[in-house]
Amino acid sequence: MRALAERDGLNIHIDSAGTGDWHVGNPPDPRAIAVARDYGVDISGLRARQVAREDFARFSHIFALDADNLQNLRQLAPADASAELALLMDAVDGRVGQAVADPYYGGPEGFVQTWRDVNAAAEALAKQLS
């Protein structure tokens, strides 16, 4: 999304965080780094962080990659949260209610599918914001 925002001249703040803390401080999976690099995007400098209560006021939208994480976000959201919560794939025509493919326990081809899912959503969101 950062690359698309830069490409389209969008002045938006983008961040990524998990609902759990098990990867905090770690870089992306090497397979994700490799696929992103193949598509011309360097994500190697990113580090995982956990969703914070202030995120629900700091961001206008928070997207979950699957229904379980969306439910977790709803439980984490404070009563005065202003961020709109949704599944990321809801931004893509014909994909409402669907999860982003989870590649973690599979081979490298799963990371390509995940890239395609996330990129399709990023393209749709960039188009909406342009």
Side-chain angles (χ1 to χ4, degrees):
M1 187 69 204
R2 287 180 186 96
L4 294 178
E6 184 176 332
R7 177 197 75 191
D8 293 352
L10 299 173
N11 184 19
I12 56 176
H13 181 73
I14 303 159
D15 203 353
S16 177
T19 56
D21 65 356
W22 45 90
H23 295 293
V24 169
N26 293 335
D29 186 293
R31 298 168 293 179
I33 293 171
V35 169
R37 184 180 55 241
D38 289 346
Y39 284 91
V41 178
D42 180 8
I43 63 170
S44 63
L46 299 177
R47 295 296 177 266
R49 72 175 188 86
Q50 188 172 11
V51 172
R53 290 180 60 83
E54 54 269 13
D55 289 340
F56 295 93
R58 191 170 71 152
F59 296 100
S60 61
H61 293 76
I62 298 176
F63 296 101
L65 301 188
D66 62 35
D68 288 339
N69 281 298
L70 182 57
Q71 181 60 32
N72 290 341
L73 286 168
R74 288 181 175 140
Q75 291 174 347
L76 292 169
D80 63 348
S82 58
E84 182 179 320
L85 304 179
L87 287 172
L88 182 62
M89 296 312 294
D90 287 354
V92 180
D93 287 340
R95 300 288 307 269
V96 172
Q98 294 182 18
V100 170
D102 184 354
Y104 191 75
Y105 294 105
E109 67 283 348
F111 283 83
V112 172
Q113 183 57 52
T114 297
W115 177 272
R116 290 179 181 149
D117 284 353
V118 171
N119 192 65
E123 287 281 3
L125 290 169
K127 184 177 179 182
Q128 289 175 20
L129 294 170
S130 293

